Amino acid sequence: QVQLVESGGGLVQAGGSLRLSCAGSGRTFLYVAMGWFRQAPGKEREPVAAITWSGHTTYYADSVKGRFTISRDNAKNTVHLQMNSLKPDDTAVYYCATGGVVTDSGYYGMDFWGKGTLVTVSS
């Protein structure tokens, strides 16, 4: 059974930083893309960042470019999201996802999701 477990969410003041992590288990993640989505209250889930297995291709939403950095540790089946210069608009539940395709314009066709971790940015 595939499991994705997110951690690292919490409450932070605007301008602060958080580092999210997602640990995967139950399958091989060899050649599998991984990424992050978020869903704010009253809004649809949106892609935030994604990375291919090799790390050669990454995707970032325009709203987070220059502030967020995605990375992965293939030996540990983990993906991280370093979030700097956080804004109140970044407040959302952040979900880890695997599978699919990463392009420089988006992240599509994910097959597994975590349960999410809440990030709250106060003004």
Side-chain angles (χ1 to χ4, degrees):
Q1 182 179 0
V2 178
Q3 283 193 317
L4 299 173
V5 179
E6 301 97 335
S7 62
L11 174 64
V12 64
Q13 288 188 332
S17 299
L18 282 174
R19 185 175 189 249
L20 304 184
S21 297
C22 172
S25 62
R27 68 173 286 182
T28 177
F29 289 86
L30 189 65
Y31 305 128
V32 174
M34 300 183 79
W36 293 90
F37 284 68
R38 68 185 181 187
Q39 187 166 19
K43 296 186 177 181
E44 294 186 354
R45 190 175 297 188
E46 61 176 2
V48 175
I51 186 168
T52 55
W53 181 81
S54 66
H56 290 162
T57 301
T58 56
Y59 162 77
Y60 292 96
D62 288 343
S63 58
V64 307
K65 283 181 180 177
R67 300 188 297 123
F68 291 11
T69 302
I70 190 169
S71 62
R72 64 187 292 168
D73 183 342
N74 291 331
K76 297 181 179 179
N77 292 337
T78 58
V79 63
H80 307 283
L81 186 67
Q82 178 66 42
M83 305 186 295
N84 299 328
S85 302
L86 283 161
K87 306 174 181 179
D89 284 349
D90 296 317
T91 295
V93 177
Y94 284 71
Y95 298 90
C96 177
T98 67
V101 176
V102 180
T103 72
D104 56 6
S105 61
Y107 180 32
Y108 313 96
M110 296 64 61
D111 52 10
F112 292 102
W113 296 83
K115 294 183 178 180
T117 185
L118 177 62
V119 172
T120 304
V121 184
S122 63
S123 58

